[in-house]
Amino acid sequence: ARKLFEQAIAIDPEYALAYVGLADAVLMLSKNILRFGILEPGIASQLAEQNLAKAFVRQADIPLAYAIQGKVFELQQKPDAALAAYDKSISLNPNLAIAHMWRYLELQRQNRYPESLQALERAYQLDPVSIATMYNRAVEMTLHGQLTEAKTLFNQLIDDFPESPMGHQGIAGVEFQSGELANSLFHWKSAMDLSPQNISFQLSYYGLLLQLKITDQILPDDIMAEYKSTLLLVSEQYQALFTEMDFQ
């Protein structure tokens, strides 16, 4: 995506939306367990800011540009500036679902739960087939104990977007909360197969394997390092465990 946006700018340097898209792609490439990480966050935010500045010079009233600016402020740990940017985006286009979606996430981080839920519902009304909105709506159902409804929505996500791991990730959490660990393991494996570079999925899958005391599978080196003590514990290698704990 990043390469295609760069090609669009090369063809038409005055195309403001291409700079907006490039800023978005760069942010998604920042290092974070929930992102796809090859850029340091500081570098990603700086590159995104530079591209947004070029977009604003060419067209000052692009709602999506302000929404992405809000994500830049989040990365820079400026929550109030992030909310102001989302509000600006929504003032320019009240129907921009992703701005409401990102506003929900920021309000949630600030523990402003009633407002965050209102923003999430607005995002869902505007775009009920968005992967992010469907996923987060089902997560909220899970948090409120509506496990059957959450599972239904996660299954719909799997049916509508079979190439996305998000439905499997969601059901894995619901099944784990319900005590159905084998089903949870199946869905973590499905999510991991769809997104094999996602470290979060790997940690969840292999961590659950160890919780079930299934220790005969070969763990990747980075996962082995993360769960070394747990692996020694479940395999009853107590002396090696004590040695490792003393070393740590």
Side-chain angles (χ1 to χ4, degrees):
R2 179 184 181 180
K3 289 178 181 177
L4 289 171
F5 285 126
E6 288 170 344
Q7 289 175 32
I9 291 168
I11 293 169
D12 182 0
E14 297 305 311
Y15 184 33
L17 278 174
Y19 293 100
V20 176
L22 182 55
D24 193 12
V26 166
L27 283 181
M28 291 290 284
L29 286 167
S30 63
K31 285 185 178 179
N32 181 298
I33 198 167
L34 298 178
R35 295 193 178 94
F36 307 103
I38 60 170
L39 296 174
E40 292 297 333
I43 294 173
S45 65
Q46 184 179 6
L47 290 172
E49 272 190 316
Q50 290 171 358
N51 283 289
L52 286 175
K54 293 174 183 177
F56 287 133
V57 166
R58 287 158 176 82
Q59 187 176 339
D61 59 350
I62 302 175
L64 183 59
Y66 287 98
I68 294 169
Q69 188 180 52
K71 298 303 287 184
V72 172
F73 287 139
E74 281 185 24
L75 203 59
Q76 296 171 342
Q77 299 183 20
K78 299 176 180 177
D80 292 338
L83 277 180
Y86 296 141
D87 289 341
K88 174 68 173 178
S89 173
I90 291 167
S91 72
L92 291 170
N93 180 4
N95 295 325
L96 185 60
I98 193 64
H100 292 279
M101 177 74 235
W102 290 342
R103 186 171 182 272
Y104 148 74
L105 292 170
E106 181 54 45
L107 287 167
Q108 187 186 58
R109 276 187 286 271
Q110 296 187 28
N111 298 325
R112 295 164 62 177
Y113 293 114
E115 292 174 86
S116 74
L117 291 178
Q118 289 176 2
L120 177 60
E121 284 305 306
R122 183 61 180 148
Y124 186 74
Q125 290 169 6
L126 291 168
D127 190 1
V129 294
S130 158
I131 294 176
T133 305
M134 290 173 69
Y135 173 80
N136 282 289
R137 195 167 192 258
V139 167
E140 288 292 346
M141 291 174 176
T142 304
L143 294 173
H144 288 84
Q146 301 170 308
L147 301 186
T148 300
E149 295 89 339
K151 196 170 176 179
T152 298
L153 193 51
F154 283 133
N155 274 317
Q156 182 185 337
L157 189 50
I158 292 172
D159 291 340
D160 292 347
F161 301 97
E163 76 287 354
S164 170
M166 303 303 288
H168 291 288
Q169 178 186 7
I171 288 188
V174 173
E175 297 286 28
F176 184 86
Q177 191 167 325
S178 304
E180 300 291 341
L181 300 189
N183 288 341
S184 180
L185 189 69
F186 168 80
H187 284 286
W188 279 126
K189 181 65 165 60
S190 299
M192 193 171 69
D193 289 343
L194 287 166
S195 187
Q197 293 180 313
N198 189 305
I199 298 299
S200 177
F201 295 165
Q202 294 180 41
L203 290 172
S204 298
Y205 173 71
Y206 288 111
L208 188 50
L209 273 181
L210 294 178
Q211 189 168 338
L212 292 168
K213 298 188 176 181
I214 301 173
T215 59
D216 57 344
Q217 291 208 21
I218 299 174
L219 275 65
D221 290 341
D222 52 348
I223 303 297
M224 178 73 80
E226 188 79 22
Y227 283 120
K228 183 176 181 180
S229 297
T230 306
L231 181 60
L232 293 172
L233 177 64
V234 298
S235 59
E236 300 182 2
Q237 300 179 51
Y238 299 127
Q239 191 55 54
L241 172 65
F242 296 146
T243 300
E244 174 68 15
M245 291 171 67
D246 287 341
F247 173 76
Q248 291 185 10

